[in-house]
Amino acid sequence: MRGRARGRTLGLALMVAGSLILSACGGGGGGSQDQGGNGGGGGQETKVRVGLVYDVGGRGDQSFNDMAYAGLEKAIQEFGDKVEAQDAEPDAGGQNREDLLRTFADQGYDLVIGVGFLFTDAITAVAKEYPEVKFAIVDSCPEEPLDNVACLTFKEHEGSFLVGAAAALKTQTGTIGFVGGMKTPLIERFEAGYRAGAKYINPDIKVLSDYAGTTGEAFNNPTKGRELALAQIQQGADVIYHAAGGTGKGVFEAVKQQGKLAIGVDADQSLTAPDYADVILTSMVKRVDVAVYDVIRSVVEDNFKAGLHAYGLKEDGVGYAVNDKNRSLIEDITAQLDELKEKIISGEIQVPETPGDV
């Protein structure tokens, strides 16, 4: 299937002659909202139409894409009478990202969101073609500033520093691991922060690092994730952090099989991947849900701002997860982690963004 779309609050996706057609229908009356502001002839308020396109792995990755969906759902729940939303997934290789964005824009959606840095070129091209449509991209920004594109970025290295410290405080072997998805500067920021946090606690700690690939498919390959994690465990790693999207499922499987500890990413994965909750020490929470919700709200409230929006520890955009499922694993070190968090926020600790700087 070339693409998969889901309607939220009234969406419908049809596959016609090999091309994706997206349509959103109005509640009760079955007709779409009048885009001219006439309320469909019945005095009904025109809704803000939001289209969200996931990256490879789509809904159900228990991580990055699911966090974006959570932000979309929150906006629908809070602005239900003002928002009409629809989400879509690209094909397995993600080659039709641009097609999906363009379909939403062509159908007059007010805000179109691309989830992930792999949308950079596609967002740039489509945003230029549709200057009247607002766009948002998670984890990236076009090289040239565009007046209709909001860039929702995160300081992944800051949150990763904290879970790196947690790994160093919990390891029994003095060796920990990192499994990344696609090897890019973005994912290397996760590794850099993780290494820095671990070495802040123990300068002599050994940090193993592997990446699942160099294309987008590296975020949706659990078999590869399991293979890499098992290899690290054989080399002595007893805590492994993944920043690999759906590939991380394989990391969790390997860690549970071998009786080690894992660190999740983006979502609190002890909650989103409950089958592995007993081995997930914590997760580096990246609040994609907050960023997606914020940009939708800005359009609803007519105060959309293009350009860079950065979410770090200070903005509560990243952090580490603690809940009833993992509290017994991590509660003895939370005071130390919180102290490190404050030092990063104050600037006392400067977290590097590239592994070579650690």
Side-chain angles (χ1 to χ4, degrees), residues 62-98:
Q62 302 174 338
S63 185
F64 190 75
N65 288 307
D66 281 355
M67 289 293 281
Y69 171 69
L72 181 66
E73 283 285 89
K74 180 180 178 181
I76 290 169
Q77 292 169 6
E78 185 161 330
F79 306 115
D81 59 336
K82 298 179 180 179
V83 171
E84 182 178 282
Q86 185 159 311
D87 56 357
E89 294 178 11
D91 54 26
Q95 291 89 347
N96 65 334
R97 293 183 186 91
E98 186 171 325

Side-chain angles (χ1 to χ4, degrees), residues 192 354-358:
T354 58
D357 292 334
V358 180

